[in-house]
Amino acid sequence: MTTPFTGADALIRMLQLNGVQHIFGLCGDTSLPYYDALARLDHGMTHILTRDERSAAYMADGYARVTGRVGVCEGPSGGGATYLLPGLVEANESSVAVLGITSDVSVTARGRFPLTELDQKALYAPLTKWNTVINRVEEIPSAVRAAFRAMTTGRPGAAHIGLPYDVQKRAIAESDVWAQPGHQTFPALRSAPGAAAVQDAAERLLAARCPVLIVGGGVIQAGACAELAALAEALGAPVCTTVSGHGSLPAAHPLLVGVVGTNGGVPATREVLVQADLVLFIGCRAGSTTTEHWKLPGPGVTILHLDVDAATIGTNYRTDVALVGDARLGLQALLNDIKNHSNKALRDQGWGQKMAAQARADKQAFFAPLAASTQTPIRPEVVLAALNKLLPPKAIAVADPGTPCPYFSAYFQAPEAGRHFITNRAHGALGYSMAAAFGAQVGAPDSVVVSAMGDGSFGFTCGELETIVRYGVPLKMIVFSNSVYGWIKASQKTGYGERYFSVDFNRTDHARVAEAFGVKAFRVQDPRDVESTLKAALMHDGPALVDVISQELQDTAVPVSQWMG
């Protein structure tokens, strides 16, 4: 008897045809048919079983960021569908192509109070770029094609497909299963800004006294780091980055200023924007963090904005020239137009390097004595200095919000351009780093990947230590242990008269917890032992965790210019 080709089979084949190599997810009863299809079919994909659906989505996010391929995560109906959502929201707002697949109750059971029923389409509709719940088995191939098209074109984002249990078991013609070439990676089907806008922008850049480039994650996403360097060098213009744009230029590039804004920016980098008479935003939204709540750039500054999403342009600043298109194609077009104006007298080409060098020198002068401190508890700067010394050029650091994010944003050095720093800047949920770093390690197995988290974040996600050990992923983890939800306590200090409420918790021995899961673990309390301990962890050939007894965030010299409150 011939086994019929089912909706579950069609889903797996569609993922295979779209170049999917890894699926991160958690089993459930409504998912049984497509788990069986994964088991039966020869598809070449690896399914990674996680301990939490939130982790599965964050893993898919980190994986997508380092590979440029669509990250795929899955979970069952009911609670699984709600737990998968935080990761899809983060990916969507961060312009990362992640597909979330949730199984669902049978179509024939809808409205009859079956266990785990909820309106998945309504749940995901406002929080993804594209979303559907399948009603008929024949819809599966076209739904997957539509999801991949939406995720990879224009501004990349997240998509969701809900797959009812009975639909998975129904027969479908195998001939209906085909994929559209070109949607396996992102960004796909790139478009360039209009020629007139490019010419206008190029002329303004050349005429400006002090043009400054502010670069977001869209440059890295588009693979436009080389084009950015060429344009900056042609203009002699300093380059500032958003947190997500960290790594757009190599750390030693003479025009790199570093991260600006309230999270990771410092007075020295801020001064560069104060002097600007023109700012070109590239692949970023000009949001509150980057612009110091829209204070910098200040009034009277000419604004140019290049972004693939027209909706971001002109939202926060009156924009003199809007360049709607892919960052790589847009930068290439600007550079070509500027070269055509090479007969025009350019400003002193050394001024941008002088500004960038001064900003970096001032920042280093502030950082160096803190990084050499023998004070206890350990200053986070000591950890950053050791990592900058020890990590290889192709390392990837993944930081949770809270203590790690501003420190890594300001002080982590990426010797090579590209995706070497990841953090969840859209919604800032705790518990992101360990899972996203796992996904990044799966996607970039030859890179050293470091997950940095606070102890608050560790509590959200420590169950995935078992996943890390089970798959033998050599992830390196650092826990800044200060027994506090630091960001909130710091905000209570500056905005609420140090009336601390419900932000402190007991210290956990994270090293012992990690050891219980089978992870090689270290605990360090003396700053003089930080470098040797991190070196030992990095040299270990499997997963390793370092528990750092560190300052509470509100008592540090953290590079944050404004807290809530």
Side-chain angles (χ1 to χ4, degrees), residues 204-205 208-214 270-281 291 294-305 316-321:
R204 291 173 185 264
L205 283 163
R209 173 186 54 82
C210 185
V212 174
L213 312 184
I214 299 182
R270 200 168 295 124
E271 183 59 28
V272 174
L273 284 177
V274 170
Q275 297 186 45
D277 68 332
L278 179 148
V279 167
L280 170 59
F281 289 107
T291 63
W294 307 288
K295 297 184 183 76
L296 288 172
V301 176
T302 299
I303 301 294
L304 317 179
H305 198 154
N316 293 322
Y317 283 91
R318 180 191 177 278
T319 302
D320 295 275
V321 183

Side-chain angles (χ1 to χ4, degrees), residues 257-485:
V257 173
V259 169
V260 293
T262 59
N263 191 332
V266 298
T269 57
R270 200 168 295 124
E271 183 59 28
V272 174
L273 284 177
V274 170
Q275 297 186 45
D277 68 332
L278 179 148
V279 167
L280 170 59
F281 289 107
I282 309 169
C284 68
R285 295 182 175 184
S288 60
T289 299
T290 300
T291 63
E292 307 267 357
H293 294 272
W294 307 288
K295 297 184 183 76
L296 288 172
V301 176
T302 299
I303 301 294
L304 317 179
H305 198 154
L306 167 60
D307 200 279
V308 72
D309 184 3
T312 68
I313 299 175
T315 297
N316 293 322
Y317 283 91
R318 180 191 177 278
T319 302
D320 295 275
V321 183
L323 300 151
V324 181
D326 174 75
R328 190 169 76 193
L329 297 183
L331 289 170
Q332 287 174 343
L334 280 171
L335 182 62
N336 290 337
D337 209 280
I338 284 169
K339 287 180 177 178
N340 290 336
H341 291 80
S342 58
N343 60 324
K344 290 190 175 182
L346 294 178
R347 71 190 70 79
D348 173 18
Q349 289 290 291
W351 72 274
Q353 291 190 19
K354 291 175 184 176
M355 290 178 68
Q358 187 64 56
R360 293 199 308 272
D362 290 349
K363 182 165 72 171
Q364 180 61 25
F366 179 79
F367 172 73
L370 299 174
S373 172
T374 57
Q375 176 184 341
T376 57
I378 296 167
R379 288 185 173 275
E381 291 91 346
V382 177
V383 177
L384 267 296
L387 287 173
N388 286 337
K389 180 178 179 180
L390 296 171
L391 288 176
K394 295 188 182 300
I396 300 169
V398 186
D400 261 313
T403 298
C405 182
Y407 279 101
F408 277 80
S409 298
Y411 301 125
F412 177 63
Q413 301 290 307
E416 299 179 355
R419 183 74 77 189
H420 298 287
F421 175 59
I422 299 171
T423 188
N424 51 326
R425 289 306 309 143
H427 289 282
L430 298 183
Y432 172 86
S433 173
M434 186 188 293
F438 178 97
Q441 186 74 84
V442 171
D446 296 330
S447 295
V448 173
V449 181
V450 176
S451 163
M453 69 200 89
D455 44 6
S457 289
F458 180 88
F460 276 66
T461 191
C462 62
E464 297 304 339
L465 290 170
E466 187 278 328
T467 310
I468 293 167
V469 171
R470 180 165 22 102
Y471 287 99
V473 171
L475 183 63
K476 312 307 178 188
M477 294 161 278
I478 299 170
V479 181
F480 290 91
S481 179
N482 52 23
S483 305
V484 64
Y485 287 114

Side-chain angles (χ1 to χ4, degrees), residues 474-520:
L475 183 63
K476 312 307 178 188
M477 294 161 278
I478 299 170
V479 181
F480 290 91
S481 179
N482 52 23
S483 305
V484 64
Y485 287 114
W487 200 274
I488 308 307
K489 191 168 185 177
S491 297
Q492 289 176 344
K493 178 179 182 177
T494 59
Y496 295 89
E498 300 187 29
R499 290 185 295 278
Y500 300 132
F501 178 77
S502 207
V503 289
D504 299 288
F505 48 84
N506 292 336
R507 188 180 302 281
T508 298
D509 190 332
H510 304 96
R512 290 185 64 190
V513 173
E515 287 171 345
F517 280 100
V519 174
K520 180 71 173 176

Side-chain angles (χ1 to χ4, degrees), residues 58-274:
Y58 291 146
M59 289 174 185
D61 178 305
Y63 177 90
R65 293 190 198 222
V66 302
T67 63
R69 296 193 294 271
V70 174
V72 178
C73 55
E74 58 85 17
S77 56
T82 63
Y83 285 178
L84 204 67
L85 188 58
L88 291 190
V89 174
E90 178 64 40
N92 194 55
E93 292 301 306
S94 298
S95 302
V96 178
V98 172
L99 173 62
I101 300 168
T102 55
S103 54
D104 200 359
V105 300
S106 294
V107 174
T108 54
R110 288 176 184 167
R112 301 174 65 188
F113 310 113
L115 185 67
T116 72
E117 181 179 22
L118 57 82
D119 189 342
Q120 291 189 14
K121 189 170 184 179
L123 178 68
Y124 280 88
L127 303 173
T128 54
K129 187 179 179 185
W130 190 90
N131 162 53
T132 193
V133 174
I134 303 294
N135 293 308
R136 298 180 297 109
V137 68
E138 294 82 10
E139 298 171 1
I140 291 174
S142 61
V144 176
R145 286 192 291 270
F148 274 81
R149 181 170 61 248
M151 288 185 290
T152 60
T153 59
R155 182 181 76 81
H160 163 254
I161 295 176
L163 197 60
Y165 178 78
D166 53 353
V167 171
Q168 297 175 54
K169 301 179 76 171
R170 289 176 183 156
I172 181 176
E174 196 166 354
S175 58
D176 291 343
V177 175
W178 55 271
Q180 175 61 40
H183 296 149
Q184 289 74 35
T185 59
F186 68 101
L189 305 184
R190 301 171 187 251
S191 60
V198 169
Q199 182 178 358
D200 189 2
E203 290 174 352
R204 291 173 185 264
L205 283 163
L206 290 169
R209 173 186 54 82
C210 185
V212 174
L213 312 184
I214 299 182
V215 178
V219 168
I220 299 174
Q221 203 98 288
C225 296
E227 289 76 9
L228 170 67
L231 178 66
E233 290 160 10
L235 293 167
V239 176
C240 304
T241 79
T242 71
V243 175
S244 298
H246 191 300
S248 299
L249 290 180
H253 194 285
L255 288 168
L256 179 64
V257 173
V259 169
V260 293
T262 59
N263 191 332
V266 298
T269 57
R270 200 168 295 124
E271 183 59 28
V272 174
L273 284 177
V274 170

